[in-house]
Amino acid sequence: MLFIPEKGAAMALFSSDPVVAKKEHWTSPQPPHVVLQALTEAFSHHGEKLRHVGPRLEVRLGSRWKFTHLGPFFAQGRANIPLVLVFVTAPSGYGTAITAHAFDTLGFRLGDGSVFGVPEALAWRVEEFLTYAAGVVGVHRPGPAARPAPGPVPGAESLPRPECRGHR
């Protein structure tokens, strides 16, 4: 279930809670150590910060500083949305039970964070990474393109594009 504050909800003056959080449960036919190894390899190739604690893998993505300064309007800003993905594995009768928890780490801010399309950009990025992680462990999950690259902000394609002027 994805949590995005409702537009009509009372705005908090200050907040440090995640703007977007999602938790899912998957099952993989692979043993737990193979699942964790596949996730570790998949995320370590992109420069993310990884932390292993037993059957738990924590992946920290993006940069709060870069996202705060560039915002969701630029590809570099979207590529640096600060997120944490936590994968917890446990043996099951069918291989491995996986709990995937994703949330943003925007941190302390004025208001609830629901300005300038930030919740939509965060939700889009969470979906991208969960779809990517599910594909890595062989779980089919509907979602955006399964790749850890900055995706478009929903609705951006309807914005007018300036004509190219100048030298070619």
Side-chain angles (χ1 to χ4, degrees):
M1 181 166 116
L2 191 62
F3 172 75
I4 298 177
E6 295 295 322
K7 298 250 183 214
M11 184 178 94
L13 184 56
F14 300 103
S15 180
S16 62
D17 294 335
V19 176
V20 175
K22 187 165 191 176
K23 187 179 273 192
E24 294 184 355
H25 301 281
W26 308 328
T27 303
S28 172
Q30 303 294 327
H33 71 280
V34 173
V35 168
L36 283 175
Q37 183 63 32
L39 289 168
T40 300
E41 286 178 18
F43 284 105
S44 65
H45 293 296
H46 303 287
E48 288 85 357
K49 297 172 199 87
L50 305 173
R51 190 173 132 207
H52 271 281
V53 179
R56 174 185 164 110
L57 172 65
E58 183 177 295
V59 181
R60 292 193 167 266
L61 308 154
S63 164
R64 181 172 181 247
W65 187 88
K66 286 181 183 176
F67 179 71
T68 301
H69 287 85
L70 296 172
F73 302 110
F74 301 100
Q76 189 68 11
R78 290 189 305 274
N80 282 290
I81 289 175
L83 298 174
V84 173
L85 305 174
V86 178
F87 303 99
V88 180
T89 61
S92 74
Y94 301 105
T96 302
I98 305 163
T99 301
H101 185 207
F103 55 95
D104 68 85
T105 57
L106 283 178
F108 185 76
R109 63 194 173 277
L110 182 63
D112 62 358
S114 61
V115 295
F116 303 118
V118 169
E120 293 81 7
L122 292 172
W124 182 260
R125 201 71 168 129
V126 163
E127 290 296 322
E128 275 186 327
F129 278 112
L130 287 177
T131 301
Y132 176 72
V136 165
V137 297
V139 174
H140 174 71
R141 177 187 186 280
R147 57 184 171 74
V153 173
E157 62 276 354
S158 65
L159 297 174
R161 303 237 181 229
E163 292 184 19
C164 181
R165 294 181 184 187
H167 302 287
R168 289 187 183 226

